């Protein structure tokens, strides 16, 4: 792997940069594979990986849910991957957990914005850490990337999320709304050179400078939406000071932000980078098991007044619709609303926020879509099959590994369901999706766009 001289020279003097060790680490492609488990589906923090019994695990030091795997399995052919039991995520990125747990009171109902959320690594991580009555707004400006973000959020199964498709400037109108804003900024991407050689050809000093300007624009656009005393978490996967420390210095000097520090053991290998007004945390692949990453945290010091919104109204489900849905849902403080023909379950706390956000933002998805009522019957949506709202003893059929893969490939199934009608296909008790068993055939309702395309390993 040949790294541009101009790139290496630009990193000289950067805290923690050791040219020889850095070059050595870049002579081999990244071999670390890490996953973060879904606490809603794998209770506790222990990784259960039944199809890969030969693989050994090791904890990612800075995340209670993160594990390194001894080798990369075929995630595509693991039904647990499709059931949302874990998310494959680069280990350094999981450091977000330290910022959230050390700086925010996660036991409280918080409003959190993940501004650049696709494909959903940080958003699903945030979901795992916040309380049930908290709200996560997962935003993605590029519409085509909202679909993969939504798929990943649906798979995660917890419904306290609103997915939006807005430019950062749209959040200006939500003055003082969020307790925490996470800006995982688009960047020049040098931290991922070991994973993506193509990125090396796209790197230039000019691009670093353009990215730095864009990062400032994004932060300036979104900062009014943070409450007084709220936390701004800023991260990139770039090693360049212009996109990392310089942004922190700018935030503290130009705006009313105070830099926050985190407590981290020196054994983790993370470099604490102290500038004149701010502190950031650097990840180098020659110092720890992870790729290049940077994170810094700030507390807002203004007296921003929270905007008072006039909430819009929404149609609630009728008594008949509620009766049709009841056999599928766990009891809880849920509201059932009807929009665009879909019935959606939202927590009471989420509904209030949703009705405030609706007139301001472009909402792509929210809560848990339950399905549509047609001819007095519920046609269930995929989101319900993988949701934590689904009743444990809802009609379902347990399948063996081969049938589970066939189901995920959207093929015909050779199974004998115990009853007719809509039911969940489960593999080792984990919901994968829906079938409708008719007297003469079984219809496979696994979403077409999510199906496994490969025929075999
Ligand atoms: N947070 C994501 C995760 O953990 O899976 C990764 C986010 S990625 C580093 C940066 C994101 O910024 C991309 O999804 C990209 O589409 C989005 N983006 C690109 N231009 C942007 C802009 N001008 N404002 C905000 N986000 C932007």
């Amino acid at each position: 792997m040949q790294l541009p001289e101009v790139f290496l020279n630009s990193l000289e003097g950067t805290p923690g940069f050791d040219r020889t060790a850095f070059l050595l680490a870049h002579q081999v492609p990244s071999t670390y594979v890490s996953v973060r488990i879904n606490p809603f589906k794998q209770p506790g923090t222990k990784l259960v990986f039944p199809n890969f019994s030969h693989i050994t695990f090791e904890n990612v030091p800075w995340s209670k849910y993160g594990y390194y795997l001894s080798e990369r399995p075929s995630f595509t052919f693991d039904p647990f991957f499709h059931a949302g039991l874990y998310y494959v995520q680069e280990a350094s990125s999981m450091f977000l957990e330290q910022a959230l747990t050390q700086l925010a009171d996660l036991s409280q109902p918080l409003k959190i914005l993940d501004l650049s959320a696709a494909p959903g690594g940080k958003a699903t991580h945030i979901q795992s850490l916040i309380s049930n009555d908290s709200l996560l707004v997962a935003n993605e400006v590029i519409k085509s990337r909202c679909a993969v973000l939504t798929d990943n959020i649906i798979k995660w199964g917890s419904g306290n999320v609103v997915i939006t498709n807005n430019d950062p400037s749209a959040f200006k109108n939500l003055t003082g709304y969020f307790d925490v804003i996470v800006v995982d900024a688009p960047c020049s991407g040098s931290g991922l050179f070991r994973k993506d050689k193509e990125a090396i050809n796209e790197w230039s000093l000019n691009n670093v400078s353009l990215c730095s300007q864009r990062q400032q624009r994004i932060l300036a656009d979104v900062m009014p939406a943070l409450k007084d005393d709220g936390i701004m978490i800023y991260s990139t996967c770039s090693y360049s000071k212009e996109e990392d420390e310089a942004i922190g210095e700018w935030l503290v000097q130009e705006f009313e932000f105070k830099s926050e520090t985190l407590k981290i053991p020196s054994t983790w290998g993370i470099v604490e980078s102290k500038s004149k007004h701010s502190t950031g945390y650097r990840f180098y692949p020659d110092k720890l098991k992870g790729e290049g990453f940077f994170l810094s945290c700030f507390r807002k010091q203004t007296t921003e007044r929270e905007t008072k919104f006039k909430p819009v109204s929404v149609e609630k489900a009728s008594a008949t619709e509620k009766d049709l849905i009841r056999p599928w849902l766990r009891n809880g403080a849920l509201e059932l609303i009807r929009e665009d023909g879909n019935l959606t379950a939202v927590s009471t706390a989420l509904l209030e926020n949703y009705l405030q956000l609706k007139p301001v933002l472009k909402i792509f998805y929210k809560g848990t879509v339950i399905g549509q009522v047609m001819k007095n019957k519920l046609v269930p949506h995929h989101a319900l099959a993988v949701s934590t709202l689904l009743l444990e003893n809802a009609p379902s059929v347990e399948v063996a590994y081969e049938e589970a893969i066939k189901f995920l490939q959207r093929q015909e199934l050779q199974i004998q369901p115990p009853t007719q009608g809509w039911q969940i296909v489960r593999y080792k008790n984990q919901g994968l999706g829906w079938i409708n068993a008719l007297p003469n055939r079984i219809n496979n309702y696994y979403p077409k766009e999510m199906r496994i395309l490969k025929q075999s390993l």
Side-chain angles (χ1 to χ4, degrees):
M1 194 176 290
Q2 198 68 38
L3 294 176
E5 200 61 21
V6 57
F7 165 66
L8 293 167
N9 291 340
S10 75
L11 298 188
E12 289 297 351
T14 306
F17 178 64
D18 172 344
R19 194 179 180 114
T20 313
F22 187 83
L23 277 172
L24 212 60
H26 282 78
Q27 272 168 19
V28 285
S30 165
T31 51
Y32 303 126
V33 186
S34 42
V35 299
R36 183 171 40 72
I37 63 166
N38 182 343
F40 307 119
K41 299 196 176 186
Q42 302 208 37
T45 53
K46 195 166 158 22
L47 179 61
V48 185
F49 228 34
N51 297 317
F52 306 113
S53 50
H54 58 290
I55 291 180
T56 55
F57 319 120
E58 190 192 325
N59 278 103
V60 173
W62 43 87
S63 168
K64 65 178 170 187
Y65 299 128
Y67 288 90
Y68 297 105
L69 309 186
S70 56
E71 61 182 85
R72 175 176 280 274
S74 168
F75 294 115
T76 307
F77 285 93
D78 181 20
F80 274 15
F81 171 75
H82 300 277
L85 268 73
Y86 58 88
Y87 189 97
V88 183
Q89 187 180 28
E90 202 288 298
S92 304
S93 299
M94 299 180 198
F95 186 63
L96 173 65
E97 185 171 319
Q98 292 301 320
L100 284 170
T101 51
Q102 292 191 34
L103 299 177
D105 182 356
L106 299 176
S107 64
Q108 292 300 308
L110 298 178
K111 288 186 242 172
I112 303 191
L113 168 64
D114 180 359
L115 183 71
S116 300
K122 309 254 179 349
T124 51
H125 198 175
I126 296 167
Q127 270 185 286
S128 305
L129 296 165
I130 59 180
S131 63
N132 276 341
D133 45 2
S134 289
L135 162 79
L136 170 65
V137 175
N139 178 68
E140 172 53 48
V141 62
I142 300 173
K143 193 163 184 191
S144 58
R145 290 169 62 84
C146 286
V148 63
L149 171 63
T150 306
D151 289 350
N152 284 325
I153 293 281
I154 285 178
K155 266 206 273 184
W156 214 243
S158 94
N160 50 357
V161 185
V162 172
I163 299 177
T164 58
N165 170 219
N166 283 95
D167 185 83
S169 57
F171 290 89
K172 273 184 196 161
N173 304 324
L174 291 169
T175 321
Y177 192 78
F178 293 101
D179 299 281
V180 180
I181 297 183
V182 176
V183 177
D184 189 28
C187 68
S188 62
S190 48
L192 298 181
F193 280 173
R194 286 168 15 120
K195 288 198 148 194
D196 177 12
K197 277 194 201 159
E198 284 304 302
I200 302 177
N201 301 328
E202 283 161 28
W203 190 93
S204 68
L205 280 177
N206 188 40
N207 194 28
V208 168
S209 154
L210 288 176
C211 285
S212 171
Q213 289 164 30
R214 180 167 58 176
Q215 287 147 357
Q216 292 186 356
R217 225 168 32 236
I218 291 173
L219 286 165
D221 276 348
V222 82
M223 62 176 73
L226 190 61
K227 269 187 193 153
D228 179 33
D229 217 33
I231 301 291
M232 176 81 81
I233 302 174
Y234 173 76
S235 60
T236 74
C237 55
S238 162
Y239 296 109
S240 298
K241 288 176 290 237
E242 295 84 339
E243 299 178 70
D244 296 342
E245 286 86 351
I247 298 288
E249 292 294 284
W250 170 80
L251 266 181
V252 174
Q253 285 178 281
E254 300 288 325
F255 304 94
E256 287 156 302
F257 279 97
K258 172 176 143 286
S259 173
E260 288 280 349
T261 54
L262 301 174
K263 286 194 188 72
I264 44 168
S266 59
T267 48
W268 287 0
I270 300 166
V271 174
E272 188 179 62
S273 170
K274 282 201 174 297
S275 306
K276 198 164 172 204
H277 305 281
S278 61
T279 302
Y281 298 91
R282 288 186 158 263
F283 290 65
Y284 289 96
D286 49 275
K287 294 185 169 52
L288 46 76
K289 286 170 78 169
E291 300 308 307
F293 185 64
F294 175 86
L295 183 142
S296 52
C297 312
F298 306 89
R299 195 177 289 274
K300 193 170 177 178
Q301 306 269 275
T302 52
T303 41
E304 200 81 76
R305 258 194 297 151
E306 187 174 347
T307 315
K308 288 281 171 263
F309 298 98
K310 216 172 142 212
V312 291
S313 60
V314 73
E315 251 185 279
K316 301 260 178 87
S318 67
T320 321
E321 286 168 333
K322 281 184 188 161
D323 284 345
L324 284 172
I325 289 171
R326 200 161 293 132
W328 299 99
L329 286 191
R330 282 175 199 266
N331 285 333
L334 281 179
E335 301 278 351
L336 289 161
I337 59 174
R338 189 186 327 102
E339 272 186 324
D340 311 323
N342 274 324
L343 291 172
T344 298
V346 287
S347 67
T348 312
L350 181 67
L351 181 62
E352 190 189 319
N353 289 309
Y354 168 61
L355 296 181
Q356 292 179 348
L357 296 175
K358 199 179 164 198
V360 186
L361 301 173
K362 276 193 274 171
I363 312 272
F364 196 84
Y365 185 85
K366 81 257 170 204
T368 307
V369 178
I370 304 297
Q372 301 191 343
V373 172
M374 285 181 187
K375 293 188 189 151
N376 251 341
K377 281 197 176 135
L378 177 70
V379 177
H381 188 275
H382 177 69
L384 177 59
V386 288
S387 162
T388 51
L389 295 180
L390 185 75
L391 203 64
E392 224 160 285
N393 57 359
S396 57
V397 53
E398 176 74 27
V399 296
Y401 177 79
E402 284 71 23
E403 289 299 325
I405 296 297
K406 269 196 203 165
F407 173 72
L408 295 165
Q409 290 169 325
R410 223 167 179 264
Q411 291 185 27
E412 259 182 45
L413 300 185
Q414 306 300 326
I415 54 171
Q416 307 282 320
T419 54
Q420 289 194 357
W422 288 98
Q423 47 208 293
I424 309 283
V425 174
R426 290 187 196 270
Y427 170 71
K428 294 193 194 274
N429 207 30
Q430 298 295 334
L432 298 178
W434 293 101
I435 52 166
N436 191 6
L438 304 173
N440 52 350
R441 64 173 194 281
I442 295 169
N443 287 340
N444 182 338
Y445 278 88
Y446 193 69
K448 208 171 175 180
E449 60 290 353
M450 290 171 81
R451 73 192 189 280
I452 301 178
L453 294 170
K454 276 204 242 167
Q455 285 313 300
S456 56
L457 277 169

